[in-house]
Amino acid sequence: MKFDQINWGIIGCGNVTEVKSGPAFQKAEHSSLVAVMRRDKEKAADYAKRHGVPKWYHQADGLINDPEVNAIYIATPPDTHAQYAIQAMRAGKPVYVEKPMALNHAECQQMIEVSKETGMPLFVAYYRRTLPAFLKMKELVESGVIGKPISVSITLVKGASEQDKNTSNDNWRVDPKAAGAGYFFDLASHQLDYLDFLFGPITRVAGTAVNRSGLYRAEDTVVASFAMESGVVGNGLWSFVADESATKDDLEIIGTKGKINLPSFQHTDLKLTTAKGTLSFSFQNPENISYNLVDQVVQSLRGEAECVSTGVSAARTNWVMEQIVQDYYH
């Protein structure tokens, strides 16, 4: 199925759509944002007015069945991703869904089945697959400059936010019923998906999740070890309640002739270290961080390019994360 002009509707126009993603649908060529939906009528109307969107809805059905909308971006919490994606695809509309793809791997599989059944494309917002620094890391690995890749190590350690410390605050990201797990699902999903892009699917994984702070029900600290299809092995440490002095954000790839370091979330330089010394590479991200991927999705729907982040690839990341935290939740 090919489209000429992609007319997007957004279900769930919250914070993530303000700068990170929403404007990208208006900036990409052959793409426009024609409708938005939020359950709060006033907030839906306000978003539409501020972003110059012609129509707004407070119920998803209205947007999904709008004949002018021919593709749908779902930016709600993960507990409704599958429901809305399936409804949209059955209405004959391709879907671009926020990450993580769904609440659990079983829901991801349902979404993939409906995509096959309806012929509707299904994409997931793992935009690091299209960002310059992460593409440079992939290029360096594939060039052989660090020799044969041996291992990868992920470290993401940060302190609890003021919102986390105020237990009366309603934060869906640490509510497993809404998010699938805690910040691990929200943030580590980007990193694990990128490793899938870099080295192929993770085929073996084990992990332990614990809650050391008691601030919320979800896990707050996670460790994992894994092996990828390519033979590269890895480990990860994620903690969201550490002392500020321990703050660290690093993705390190070690090879037989060097290493590469890149933070996953801080916008600082990529560092390549070999026998010749250390080189730094700086990058400029698009103003709207999702732009490169949104543009690729639009090109894919027009039959002009293949998209690097699909429901099939994203479901693998849900499976990996589920394996890591399963003991905590069972």
Side-chain angles (χ1 to χ4, degrees):
M1 171 177 285
K2 285 187 188 178
F3 294 77
D4 181 27
Q5 174 70 21
I6 321 300
N7 296 324
W8 292 94
I10 298 179
I11 297 178
C13 47
N15 286 344
V16 73
T17 67
E18 288 289 346
V19 178
K20 283 186 176 182
S21 62
F25 296 95
Q26 294 165 306
K27 290 180 178 179
E29 276 191 54
H30 309 289
S31 172
S32 58
L33 180 56
V34 298
V36 294
M37 171 267 164
R38 194 167 180 172
R39 284 176 297 185
D40 184 313
K41 289 183 184 180
E42 286 184 10
K43 287 181 178 177
D46 174 63
Y47 185 97
K49 184 179 179 183
R50 286 185 295 105
H51 290 272
V53 181
K55 290 187 264 191
W56 61 268
Y57 294 90
H58 72 282
Q59 290 180 324
D61 288 4
L63 182 138
I64 289 169
N65 296 313
D66 183 326
E68 197 183 344
V69 171
N70 63 8
I72 291 174
Y73 167 41
I74 298 163
T76 57
D79 61 339
T80 50
H81 285 184
Q83 172 198 332
Y84 290 141
I86 288 168
Q87 191 180 344
M89 289 186 287
R90 289 205 165 128
K93 300 180 183 186
V95 168
Y96 175 79
V97 66
E98 262 308 322
K99 56 83 220 160
M101 182 173 165
L103 205 55
N104 52 53
H105 185 245
E107 287 189 351
C108 295
Q109 292 303 110
Q110 289 168 17
M111 292 160 75
I112 291 167
E113 283 308 308
V114 173
S115 174
K116 286 179 187 168
E117 181 190 303
T118 59
M120 288 300 112
L122 175 61
F123 309 100
V124 182
Y126 284 121
Y127 55 78
R128 273 167 184 73
R129 288 176 175 238
T130 63
L131 289 180
F134 293 89
L135 289 173
K136 183 65 176 180
M137 183 179 245
K138 185 173 170 65
E139 178 198 309
L140 289 170
V141 168
E142 290 173 353
S143 75
V145 70
I146 62 162
K148 189 172 186 176
I150 300 168
S151 68
V152 59
S153 182
I154 301 169
T155 310
L156 183 62
V157 176
K158 55 200 295 190
S161 67
E162 289 309 310
Q163 185 182 21
D164 295 334
K165 292 172 188 173
N166 180 356
T167 51
S168 63
N169 268 330
D170 182 23
N171 180 3
W172 65 261
R173 284 181 172 82
V174 290
D175 176 3
K177 288 180 182 173
Y183 288 123
F184 175 67
F185 266 33
D186 189 42
L187 299 174
S189 58
H190 271 301
Q191 299 166 309
L192 293 165
D193 174 81
Y194 176 67
L195 293 185
D196 180 288
F197 180 55
L198 196 57
F199 294 121
I202 291 173
T203 51
R204 297 198 309 281
V205 59
T208 301
V210 296
N211 183 303
R212 300 296 292 158
S213 68
L215 292 173
Y216 40 76
R217 188 183 158 235
E219 77 296 333
D220 59 27
T221 300
V222 178
V223 292
S225 61
F226 41 86
M228 282 156 275
E229 194 175 69
S230 57
V232 174
V233 294
N235 64 76
L237 165 64
W238 298 265
S239 185
F240 306 100
V241 292
D243 182 71
E244 207 172 295
S245 64
T247 299
K248 189 175 180 183
D249 173 10
D250 186 44
L251 175 62
E252 180 174 74
I253 297 167
I254 295 173
T256 55
K257 294 180 180 176
K259 66 173 186 168
I260 308 171
N261 293 81
L262 177 68
S264 299
F265 298 99
Q266 294 171 350
H267 186 55
T268 54
D269 290 357
L270 178 154
K271 295 192 183 299
L272 166 67
T273 304
T274 65
K276 294 176 182 176
T278 299
L279 286 175
S280 292
F281 300 85
S282 299
F283 300 93
Q284 185 64 47
N285 283 330
E287 181 187 4
N288 312 107
I289 201 84
S290 298
Y291 175 81
N292 292 354
L293 183 57
V294 168
D295 188 50
Q296 199 178 85
V297 166
V298 169
Q299 289 180 49
S300 177
L301 291 173
R302 285 172 50 81
E304 296 170 341
E306 288 290 317
C307 182
V308 292
S309 184
T310 66
V312 171
S313 61
R316 296 196 292 261
T317 294
N318 262 80
W319 176 81
V320 170
M321 295 191 298
E322 210 164 282
Q323 301 306 303
I324 292 169
V325 302
Q326 64 181 349
D327 288 349
Y328 182 81
Y329 288 101
H330 293 152

